[in-house]
């Protein structure tokens, strides 16, 4: 009896969102099949890979990263090198020093650094991330959206605590893309999208960070949340969940013991750089398989590896 394959193509699709402008603009989303199901329908916009730089420059980076950024000290120095690394589709700048429970850098200092990063990035698409402190980010991301006007950048992230300020600045006043961040829960992700669209932000200018974790660290919750979101968006045609997903991997993967413990402390684990790359690649690959449309990584080898994986599968 002949086998007749059944198409897994859906009538609904994920909204396409373009980051940046010009020849290097990157579009994510637009697919109407499950992740990497290119045998069911063409995936016009392959997932994208970004590389992360923070306002601390090389100061807080792993020792193994220094050889790739030889001669660099500042964030702008790093960006000038990073734009040429294999597989980099966009630059992600994280204002880590803005956390009031950390370095608590002034807004003026952070905006000065961001200005240098924007100039160094040139026409490479940008994702601008906050400090992970919702109250401080209301101020920082509002200023960042203004400073990056005309760049069509993703401002990551608007959260339930600050979405009015961040959403109004990024999505309305300065015509940027709003990154909506929720905490590994499909209902919270949908609720935040509803709030942003009710605020007046166009749904086609919203991307989601639905939460992240390193592989092995409660990752099953991330996986199930992404899969449920994609299923609702495609099979149930839920318009409030049809925004593409972007996932910051770097800060999660490199914070694990597996990626940071020295070879002296755990000699049986092997080379620390290889462990860090493995953790980052494994997490990113899982995110993409579960439905993420873009991942943010740190190590240039991780970026090149994941980029090659995407090209082989799409």
């Amino acid at each position: 009896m002949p086998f007749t394959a059944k198409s897994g193509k859906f009538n609904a699709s994920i909204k396409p969102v373009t980051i940046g402008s010009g020849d290097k603009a990157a579009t994510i989303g637009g697919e109407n099949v499950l992740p990497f199901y290119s045998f069911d329908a063409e995936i016009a916009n392959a997932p994208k890979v970004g590389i992360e730089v923070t306002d601390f420059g090389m100061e807080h980076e792993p020792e193994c990263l220094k050889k790739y950024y030889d001669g660099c000290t500042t964030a702008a120095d790093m960006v000038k090198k990073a734009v040429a690394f294999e597989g980099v589709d966009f630059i992600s700048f994280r204002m880590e020093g803005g956390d009031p429970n950390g370095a608590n850098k002034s807004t003026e200092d952070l905006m000065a650094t961001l200005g240098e990063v924007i100039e160094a990035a040139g026409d490479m698409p940008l994702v601008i991330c906050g400090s992970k402190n919702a109250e401080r980010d209301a101020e920082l991301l509002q200023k960042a959206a203004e400073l990056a006007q005309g760049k069509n950048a993703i401002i990551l992230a608007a959260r339930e605590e600050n979405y009015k300020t961040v959403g109004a600045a990024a999505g309305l006043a300065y015509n940027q893309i709003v990154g909506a961040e929720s905490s590994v829960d499909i209902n919270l992700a949908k609720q935040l999208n509803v709030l942003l669209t009710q605020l007046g932000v166009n749904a086609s200018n919203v991307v989601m960070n639905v939460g992240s974790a390193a592989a092995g660290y409660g990752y099953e919750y991330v996986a199930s949340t992404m899969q449920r979101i994609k299923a609702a968006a495609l099979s149930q045609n839920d318009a409030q969940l049809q925004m593409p997903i972007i996932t910051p991997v770097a800060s999660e993967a490199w914070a694990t013991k597996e990626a940071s413990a020295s070879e002296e402390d755990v000699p049986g684990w092997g080379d620390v750089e290889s462990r860090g790359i493995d953790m980052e690649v494994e997490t990113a690959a899982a995110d993409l398989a579960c439905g993420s449309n873009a991942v943010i990584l740190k190590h240039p080898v991780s970026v090149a590896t994941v980029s090659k994986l995407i090209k082989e599968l799409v």
Side-chain angles (χ1 to χ4, degrees), residues 83-304:
V83 294
F85 289 150
E86 180 185 352
V88 173
D89 296 307
F90 61 89
I91 297 294
S92 176
F93 175 67
R94 183 159 61 92
M95 293 182 280
E96 182 182 1
D99 186 354
N101 299 311
N104 197 24
K105 291 186 180 181
S106 71
T107 301
E108 291 73 19
D109 285 348
L110 290 167
M111 291 307 108
T113 303
L114 173 58
E116 294 169 358
V117 164
I118 291 171
E119 183 177 355
D123 56 357
M124 183 68 78
L126 276 173
V127 174
I128 302 172
C129 306
S131 66
K132 297 187 178 181
N133 180 284
E135 185 177 352
R136 184 71 198 282
D137 286 349
E139 175 192 5
L140 291 177
L141 295 176
Q142 182 179 24
K143 295 286 187 183
E146 180 180 7
L147 187 60
Q149 193 167 8
K151 289 293 182 179
N152 195 34
I154 293 177
I155 305 298
L156 192 68
R159 294 158 64 177
E160 187 176 3
E161 302 93 326
N162 64 16
Y163 78 91
K164 289 183 179 178
T165 302
V166 177
L172 301 177
Y174 301 111
N175 200 31
Q176 311 283 13
I177 300 159
V178 180
E181 181 178 325
S182 53
S183 299
V184 199
D185 185 297
I186 184 173
N187 296 313
L188 293 177
K190 181 172 181 175
Q191 176 182 307
L192 185 53
N193 290 340
V194 169
L195 291 172
L196 283 167
T197 53
Q198 287 178 344
L199 188 65
V201 178
N202 191 316
S204 297
N205 287 331
V206 175
V207 300
M208 297 184 287
N209 170 17
V210 299
S212 57
Y217 284 78
Y219 184 79
E220 61 272 20
Y221 294 101
V222 176
S224 62
T225 298
M226 284 193 195
Q227 290 167 343
R228 289 178 65 202
I229 286 172
K230 287 294 181 181
L234 295 174
S235 65
Q236 298 173 28
N237 195 17
D238 191 331
Q240 294 297 345
L241 289 171
Q242 288 172 346
M243 294 75 166
I245 296 173
I246 183 169
T247 310
V249 173
S251 58
E252 298 286 345
W254 287 91
T256 63
K257 184 177 180 180
E258 290 84 351
S260 60
S262 70
E263 293 170 53
E264 290 75 20
D265 289 340
V266 281
W269 286 8
D271 175 59
V272 65
E273 180 177 12
S274 296
R275 284 190 267 121
I277 293 169
D278 287 349
M279 179 61 75
E280 197 167 36
V281 169
E282 289 161 6
T283 303
D287 286 335
L288 293 168
C290 290
S292 186
N293 298 95
V295 289
I296 300 171
L297 309 178
K298 182 187 293 290
H299 199 291
V301 173
S302 303
V303 172

